[in-house]
Amino acid sequence: MMKTETIKRIKNAVVAALLTGGCAGRRGMQEEDCGPLPCLGAVAGWEKSGKTQTFDAANLYEYIDRRAEQYISAGVVGVATSDYKFQGNLEATVDVYTMKSADGAKTIFDADPPTADSKSVPLGDAARLYGQSVVFRKGVTLVRITAFEAAPARATR
C-alpha cells in the first residue's frame, strides 16, 4: 500500500475520532481514554501500538523540545499523541494539538509553508499533504500524521 493511501486511512480515522470526541477501547478490550485519537479497533486493519501520551504547555518540551516555545507562544493547551500500525507493514504517528484559539492553530500551520512536493487538500480549515505526512487544522485543533514503513523483523537463529 502506498504511503499516501496509508495517510488517508489514518487521517479518516483521526477525523472521525475528532468529530465524535474521541473513543474508548473497542471489542471488549481494556478501555483506554484516547482523547481525540482513534482507539483499539476503531479502524479496520489499524491497531494502536502504544498508549496515548499527553503533554501540556508546561511539559511540551519533553515531546517537541526544539519547537515547544513556538507552540507555547501560539497558545498550545496540550497535545495527545499515539502510534499506530497497519497490518504490521506500516506505522503512523498521530499528534493532535489543542490550542487556546483557532488563530493559534493557524499560526502553527502557517509556520510550515508549502514545499514543492506538498499539495493542499480539502480537509478542515486548511490542510497540506506531503510525501509521507499530512498536517491539517480545524478550529482550535492542529493534527500531524506521519506514516512510515515498519522496520523489518529481525531474523532469529
Side-chain angles (χ1 to χ4, degrees):
M1 177 184 306
M2 295 174 37
K3 289 180 185 175
T4 302
E5 215 174 299
T6 299
I7 292 169
K8 281 183 187 176
R9 287 178 183 236
I10 195 72
K11 173 198 68 157
N12 291 340
V14 171
V15 171
L18 287 171
L19 292 175
T20 61
C23 59
R26 300 273 196 248
R27 299 184 193 150
M29 303 269 189
Q30 182 178 358
E31 278 198 26
E32 176 191 357
D33 179 8
C34 300
L37 296 164
C39 288
L40 290 169
V43 181
W46 284 96
E47 294 297 329
K48 282 180 64 122
S49 56
K51 290 192 176 208
T52 299
Q53 294 183 309
T54 59
F55 301 88
D56 58 23
N59 68 350
L60 186 62
Y61 67 91
E62 293 175 17
Y63 185 59
I64 56 166
D65 185 30
R66 290 176 276 165
R67 294 189 69 190
E69 190 55 44
Q70 177 186 19
Y71 282 73
I72 292 166
S73 295
V76 71
V77 173
V79 61
T81 183
S82 192
D83 294 329
Y84 296 84
K85 285 188 179 183
F86 182 75
Q87 299 178 347
N89 297 323
L90 298 167
E91 297 178 357
T93 298
V94 180
D95 298 330
V96 179
Y97 293 88
T98 303
M99 310 300 284
K100 291 179 184 174
S101 72
D103 287 341
K106 182 178 182 334
T107 296
I108 297 299
F109 182 83
D110 292 345
D112 290 326
T115 62
D117 69 336
S118 69
K119 66 179 183 177
S120 293
V121 291
L123 178 64
D125 297 329
R128 213 171 283 125
L129 181 64
Y130 298 90
Q132 63 186 44
S133 65
V134 65
V135 179
F136 66 93
R137 64 180 179 83
K138 175 72 176 162
V140 299
T141 304
L142 177 90
V143 178
R144 290 185 190 280
I145 304 169
T146 305
F148 47 96
E149 292 182 37
R154 293 183 184 207
T156 56
R157 293 181 190 202

